[in-house]
């Protein structure tokens, strides 16, 4: 087994609804879906994002397209209209999650 | 007999999208429908504010350009549906009529959809605000807009009445695309699975170039050809609600299963419950399949009944944000930026603390986007930019704070350069719900 960044095997897209962010993670190769489901867990994501996410994190699965989706509450400093963040939408969060390390055969 | 199908394009993925790829679609896409999403959360509130100043305005600022550009195509058979009416669909349609007359076009049938503005209603009922858990009347600040996300019913009615240029206000994005499907395929009101598929197809198309290679390129892993002229997507949808999404042959960008998956997960929460005014779509089993170059079949969506309540977005003016930036470069740049941040922090403590609602500092180039999750740089960065932003109730305080960052020319680390500052009014968005039956939509044919 070797450790590689998630970016090597998956891509991601993030967006906002009010103060809630969502980050979808999609493997390039559908055969990596099970591995990603096993290793890209809520715990790991919470550890990586730390205090950026103040509320709950939920993970959903898209079995058809083989993708997972994280929904993070109270995560955008109040949402696009009042947040002092430069990236008020959390568009760049997709690139943060791709830093997670995964173990591959 | 061949199955009936329609060709639907997306003319705009957001309020200030480029017009040129929409023209290409109108010209070469052999489309039946071209749908324009023109509203983001804040766009509508800003439009309401323009309308308060002048009751003849409040629609999309691009309306004239859109009308002059696309009315000739409508005259020849294309149908256009959009939410570019924003806060004032009736004024918008009046303006489009003037332009149609000026262009001597005789085959234009206009329709305005109104009723999404629920300000009077919610002021009376004082519903609970989702974000605060308190009644609407307890919100600080001035309420400037309250619009319900409304669905495809009124679009279908307008199409049934022969309209070919339909303008509404807060029509939900997927509904713009679902309307033509319900009209053409005559889906029963409770045909939730097909409506679910139609909603999903609307979702695939609604963000425009998001599905054709926009917000996607990350070389060498993800490479997109001709980003400078990305094409907008269109779909060939059949009466089952499934369809093939494509781009024009000579358009920039690409249509692959990967770009489609990226859009399918975008701004979706629970894939089993993608809630729209027209129904709740289930995306869990949706599949995408490459069926040709830049052609992807989207199928296996489903749906269930529509929600009992509609979401309402409430726009509230609540204070100001003042921000400023200053750059540092060369050896020791990061240290000088941090020293300047400390200077600002001390001035904040001494002079501003009691008048501020929130304060933030960033070092652009190090931690301005991923904040505390960003790693400390392994090498000292050569070129960084200090930024500070403050939210406050007072416009004057916001302006003063922006000025404080400028003062770093004299108070901060050496070589501070390139100051920019900005003060803006905060237009906060809150959400609440309204009973489906309390929103009465009206279609005016002109």
């Amino acid at each position: 087994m070797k450790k590689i960044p998630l970016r090597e095997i998956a891509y991601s897209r993030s967006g906002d609804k009010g103060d809630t962010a969502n980050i979808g993670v999609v493997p390039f190769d559908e055969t990596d879906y099970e591995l990603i489901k096993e290793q890209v867990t809520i715990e790991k994501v919470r550890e990586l994002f730390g205090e950026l996410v103040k509320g709950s994190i939920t993970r959903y699965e898209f079995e058809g397209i083989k993708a997972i989706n994280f929904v993070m509450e109270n995560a955008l400093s109040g949402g696009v209209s009042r947040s002092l963040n430069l990236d008020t939408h959390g568009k760049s969060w997709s690139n943060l999650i791709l830093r997670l390390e995964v173990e591959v055969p | 007999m061949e199955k009936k199908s329609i060709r639907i394009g997306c003319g705009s993925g957001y309020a200030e999208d480029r017009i040129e790829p929409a023209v290409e679609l109108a010209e070469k896409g052999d489309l039946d429908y071209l749908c324009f999403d023109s509203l983001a959360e804040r766009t509508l509130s800003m439009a309401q504010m323009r309308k308060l100043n002048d009751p003849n305005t409040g629609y999309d600022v691009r309306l004239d350009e859109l009308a002059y550009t696309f009315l000739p195509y409508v005259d020849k058979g294309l149908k256009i549906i959009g939410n570019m009416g924003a806060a004032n669909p009736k004024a918008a349609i009046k303006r489009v009529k003037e332009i149609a007359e000026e262009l001597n076009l005789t085959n234009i049938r206009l329709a305005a959809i109104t009723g999404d503005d629920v300000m009077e209603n919610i002021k009376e009922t004082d519903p609970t605000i989702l974000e605060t858990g308190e009644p609407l009347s307890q919100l600080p600040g001035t309420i400037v807009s309250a619009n319900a996300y409304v669905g495809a019913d009124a679009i279908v009615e307008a199409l049934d009445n022969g309209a070919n240029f339909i303008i509404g206000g807060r029509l939900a994005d997927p509904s713009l695309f679902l309307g033509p499907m319900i009209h053409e395929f005559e889906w029963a009101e409770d045909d939730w699975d097909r409506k679910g598929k139609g909603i999903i197809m609307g979702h695939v198309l609604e963000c425009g170039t998001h599905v054709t290679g926009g917000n996607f390129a990350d070389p060498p892993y993800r490479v997109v050809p001709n980003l400078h002229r990305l094409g907008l997507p269109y779909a060939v949808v059949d009466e089952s609600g499934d369809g093939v999404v494509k781009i024009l042959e000579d358009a920039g960008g690409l249509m692959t299963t990967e770009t489609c998956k990226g859009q399918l997960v975008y701004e979706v929460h629970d894939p089993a419950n993608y809630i729209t005014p027209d129904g709740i779509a289930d995306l869990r089993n949706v599949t995408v399949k490459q069926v040709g170059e830049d052609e992807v079949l989207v199928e296996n969506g489903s749906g269930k009944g529509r929600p009992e309540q509609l979401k309402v977005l409430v726009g509230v003016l609540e204070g100001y944000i003042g921000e400023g930036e200053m750059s540092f470069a060369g050896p020791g740049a990061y240290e000088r930026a941090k020293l300047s941040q400390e200077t600002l922090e001390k001035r904040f403590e001494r002079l501003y603390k009691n008048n501020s609602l929130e304060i933030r500092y960033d070092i652009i180039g190090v931690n301005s986007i991923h904040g505390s999750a960003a790693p400390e740089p392994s090498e000292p960065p050569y070129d960084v930019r200090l930024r500070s932003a403050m939210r406050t109730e007072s416009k004057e305080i916001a302006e003063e704070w922006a000025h404080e960052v400028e003062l770093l020319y004299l108070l901060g680390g050496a070589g501070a350069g390139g100051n920019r500052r900005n003060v803006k009014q905060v237009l906060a968005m809150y959400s609440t719900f309204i009973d489906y039956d309390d929103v009465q939509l009206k279609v005016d044919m002109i």
Side-chain angles (χ1 to χ4, degrees), chain B residues 69-280:
Chain B
T69 309
F70 294 105
L71 276 172
Y73 295 102
V74 176
D75 199 57
K76 286 182 277 179
L78 179 68
K79 293 189 176 81
I80 283 186
I81 302 164
N83 50 25
M84 61 279 240
N88 203 347
K90 279 191 182 166
I93 218 74
K94 206 174 130 212
R95 178 67 192 131
V96 175
K97 184 167 191 272
E98 286 170 9
I99 295 170
E101 282 168 1
E102 186 190 322
L103 298 174
N104 289 318
L105 302 173
T106 51
N107 188 28
I108 309 291
R109 303 282 173 272
L110 300 165
I113 298 171
T114 50
D116 60 304
D117 183 340
V118 294
M119 181 82 112
E120 293 309 314
N121 179 305
I122 65 160
K123 276 191 169 165
E124 232 166 75
T125 57
D126 201 18
T128 304
I129 295 294
L130 194 65
E131 290 81 0
T132 61
E134 311 239 345
L136 173 85
S137 54
Q138 299 298 307
L139 283 177
T142 312
I143 300 172
V144 292
S145 69
N147 290 74
Y149 279 89
V150 298
D153 295 354
I155 297 172
V156 178
E157 185 186 329
L159 289 171
D160 289 349
N161 289 334
N164 55 16
F165 198 119
I166 301 170
I167 292 183
R170 188 54 277 188
L171 294 163
D173 309 349
S175 307
L176 300 169
F177 302 88
L178 181 66
M181 297 181 216
I182 297 175
H183 165 73
E184 294 274 354
F185 303 134
E186 297 174 6
W187 289 339
E189 189 170 348
D190 61 354
D191 196 344
W192 302 116
D193 273 337
R194 280 198 254 195
K195 283 188 179 177
K197 288 165 185 275
I199 290 163
I200 291 165
M201 184 54 79
H203 173 58
V204 170
L205 295 170
E206 66 173 302
C207 293
T209 52
H210 242 188
V211 72
T212 67
N215 189 10
F216 185 77
D218 186 10
Y221 301 97
R222 290 172 267 160
V223 177
V224 179
N226 296 311
L227 274 170
H228 63 286
R229 50 180 186 84
L230 276 188
L232 281 162
Y234 70 98
V236 182
V237 186
D238 69 42
E239 57 203 347
S240 72
D242 292 331
V244 177
V245 275
K246 309 180 182 195
I247 53 174
L248 292 172
E249 225 167 79
D250 51 358
L254 71 177
M255 181 70 76
T256 65
T257 54
E258 287 175 356
T259 62
C260 286
K261 289 175 181 182
Q263 173 58 22
L264 278 165
V265 299
Y266 181 65
E267 292 185 350
V268 170
H269 290 173
D270 176 1
N273 293 290
Y274 182 66
I275 303 170
T276 80
D278 302 301
I280 300 173

Side-chain angles (χ1 to χ4, degrees), chain B residues 42-70:
Chain B
R42 290 161 48 89
T43 329
L44 187 51
S45 288
M46 292 190 282
Q48 290 284 12
M49 284 159 66
R50 289 201 302 277
K51 188 180 164 191
L52 286 177
N53 287 330
D54 177 354
N56 293 317
T57 63
Y59 47 77
D60 188 336
V61 290
R62 297 179 307 173
L63 185 78
D64 275 29
E65 190 185 2
L66 291 172
Y68 279 111
T69 309
F70 294 105

